[in-house]
Amino acid sequence: MIPGEPNSLSLEDLAKPVIKKDNELLIKTIEVGIDGTDLDIIKGVHGEPPPDSKKIILGHEALGKVLDSGASVKKFVKGALVVPTVRRPCNIASCIPCRKNESDMCITGRYLERGIKGLNGFLSEYFVEEEDYLVEIPSSIADVAVLMEPLSICIKTFTIIDKIQKRLSWEAEKTLILGAGPLGILFTLLMKSKGYETVVLSRSSEQSSKAELIRLIGARYYSTISTSSADIKNSEGGFDIIIEATGVYEMVLKSFEYLKKNGIIALTGIYNTSHQIQLNFGKVLLDLVLDNKVVFGAVNSNISHFREAVSETLKNYSRWKGILHKITADKIKLVDFPELVSKKSNFIKKIITFK
Ligand code: BGC
Ligand code: ZN
């Protein structure tokens, strides 16, 4: 794929990568999940190739198996199942977050992301990765481990929400999730298991399989097709927490209407910057101040969020597995990916399998 060049996706034969450093491992890819960021790269609106190339190998949500390791690798044995993190630090001395293994909060913007920004991704039969960027996966959750990357994003977002909420001496009760894509569904699972009353609003119809899945988790579902803002306000009142997982900024603006006093809005979408709208920004700001509201953005995740994603999945596996299996049900072969990628489908998520 050539970033910046729409639909330049191609399948190529590559040499098997080799371990070059003592702390690296050779990994056989098992599955790779495709998300909105990949589709944006394919559309040519996101992404940056590695410095020595015009092309980038896609893929940042992966599960693999250790085949071989360098001399100093201690944490993983051959045959171990692993999930890699996405971002790599900027290595600029003044960047405290990157120095503290929190490159998800990098302050220089010179971080790299595998399969997205300046580094090849995991959408190939084998990949090489350093020990410190891998998380071990217990075999009991291998069937859903390709979801650890998106789940780690939910964990990071929730961790921030929880910290902001702690400024109050009472608990928040009601959450609205905007979007019923894979991330919206994972957020719904997480918020329900944390004990929140959860409502989801998205553009899929109320009869859609996504809506059904949301109801199966025990959350209420509304479709923007059949529900107006007034309807939602009438039937639900307001929300303490709103999590935006659509990338549609009109949804963000609408959601301000549903936010209760002292409420929190978490933004996780990658928004389109080519449209402009007219807005009374003074009013937006005044409402935030007078109502003690907080709006924040969250992107990427670090290894601690991946580890927590694994432990939450282990803890909730028996309750979550039915839903997680539905998200990962649609497996496709790498050879079929270029053709399927632009086709409309009912898939909740495309997972490329190398088995
Ligand atoms: C990935 C993040 C990444 C972001 C922006 C998302 O799809 O999950 O890890 O930081 O895209 O590139
Ligand atoms: Zn940095």
Side-chain angles (χ1 to χ4, degrees):
M1 172 73 219
I2 305 173
E5 206 170 286
N7 305 317
S8 57
L9 194 64
S10 61
L11 268 182
E12 286 177 29
D13 281 324
L14 300 170
K16 190 170 171 179
V18 287
I19 293 174
K20 292 191 184 126
K21 292 193 266 170
D22 279 355
N23 63 346
E24 287 179 339
L25 295 96
L26 175 67
I27 292 151
K28 165 98 183 73
T29 315
I30 298 174
E31 283 175 353
V32 174
I34 300 299
D35 76 353
T37 302
D38 298 307
L39 301 182
D40 280 346
I41 302 173
I42 292 166
K43 275 189 231 150
V45 297
H46 196 65
E48 193 183 304
D52 51 355
S53 166
K54 269 170 66 179
K55 295 181 184 174
I56 188 168
I57 301 174
L58 289 180
H60 61 275
E61 301 179 359
L63 166 69
K65 191 189 227 176
V66 173
L67 285 188
D68 200 2
S69 52
S72 71
V73 170
K74 291 205 179 65
K75 288 186 229 151
F76 304 96
V77 295
K78 278 180 201 155
L81 295 173
V82 288
V83 163
T85 62
V86 178
R87 202 175 269 194
R88 302 292 167 263
C90 67
N91 290 327
I92 295 172
S94 59
C95 186
I96 296 171
C98 281
R99 268 184 13 224
K100 295 180 88 176
N101 296 326
E102 294 181 32
S103 61
D104 58 314
M105 305 299 274
C106 174
I107 55 170
T108 67
R110 306 261 295 272
Y111 60 81
L112 302 171
E113 287 180 341
R114 291 209 60 167
I116 303 174
K117 184 176 183 280
L119 287 175
N120 281 323
F122 311 116
L123 200 40
S124 52
E125 245 177 297
Y126 305 92
F127 63 90
V128 165
E129 187 52 274
E130 289 180 26
E131 176 172 44
D132 286 349
Y133 303 126
L134 294 169
V135 176
E136 178 137 16
I137 301 296
S139 57
S140 58
I141 61 164
D143 51 352
V144 297
V146 72
L147 297 177
M148 291 307 105
E149 195 276 343
L151 185 60
S152 74
I153 306 273
C154 302
I155 298 280
K156 169 174 171 170
T157 309
F158 177 73
T159 307
I160 302 170
I161 291 173
D162 201 40
K163 283 190 175 152
I164 299 172
Q165 185 58 28
K166 293 223 156 67
R167 80 202 190 289
L168 308 175
S169 57
W170 57 91
E171 305 270 323
E173 285 169 359
K174 215 165 154 178
T175 299
L176 173 67
I177 314 247
L178 301 174
L183 209 56
I185 299 170
L186 292 174
F187 269 125
T188 309
L189 271 181
L190 188 65
M191 294 312 273
K192 278 295 290 178
S193 67
K194 298 280 181 191
Y196 292 91
E197 187 182 346
T198 306
V199 174
V200 177
L201 173 66
S202 121
R203 62 183 170 194
S204 302
S205 83
E206 301 204 356
Q207 290 74 43
S208 65
S209 52
K210 285 179 182 168
E212 215 168 284
L213 210 62
I214 296 295
R215 287 190 288 260
L216 212 60
I217 304 173
R220 287 191 291 287
Y221 182 85
Y222 295 94
S223 164
T224 49
I225 305 170
S226 46
T227 329
S228 69
S229 320
D231 293 340
I232 293 178
K233 270 189 276 181
N234 281 341
S235 44
E236 294 292 343
F239 298 92
D240 303 297
I241 297 165
I242 298 180
I243 302 173
E244 203 289 318
T246 64
V248 179
Y249 65 71
E250 287 88 344
M251 288 287 264
V252 180
L253 284 176
K254 272 245 161 295
S255 72
F256 277 80
E257 296 176 29
Y258 314 130
L259 190 65
K260 277 194 198 163
K261 289 191 195 308
N262 307 321
I264 303 168
I265 298 188
L267 305 177
T268 69
I270 305 291
Y271 304 101
N272 186 327
T273 54
S274 59
H275 301 291
Q276 290 190 11
I277 49 156
Q278 260 200 326
L279 175 74
N280 185 339
F281 195 46
K283 176 155 187 342
V284 173
L285 296 181
L286 185 64
D287 285 348
L288 290 179
V289 172
L290 296 184
D291 294 344
N292 291 295
K293 291 172 175 166
V294 176
V295 180
F296 75 92
V299 72
N300 194 250
S301 50
N302 65 50
I303 198 146
S304 75
H305 305 120
F306 277 74
R307 292 202 176 109
E308 209 177 318
V310 171
S311 59
E312 282 289 329
T313 306
L314 277 172
K315 193 172 84 192
N316 295 295
Y317 186 75
S318 58
R319 272 186 297 126
W320 284 7
K321 66 175 183 220
I323 305 293
L324 298 180
H325 287 159
K326 287 205 158 81
I327 306 178
T328 56
D330 299 307
K331 308 248 168 44
I332 59 178
K333 292 210 176 86
L334 186 62
V335 284
D336 298 326
F337 178 56
E339 203 201 322
L340 278 176
V341 74
S342 49
K343 281 211 181 118
K344 255 206 141 0
S345 74
N346 287 327
F347 294 0
I348 294 177
K349 188 172 184 71
K350 291 191 176 92
I351 312 271
I352 295 166
T353 171
F354 288 80
K355 267 183 213 152

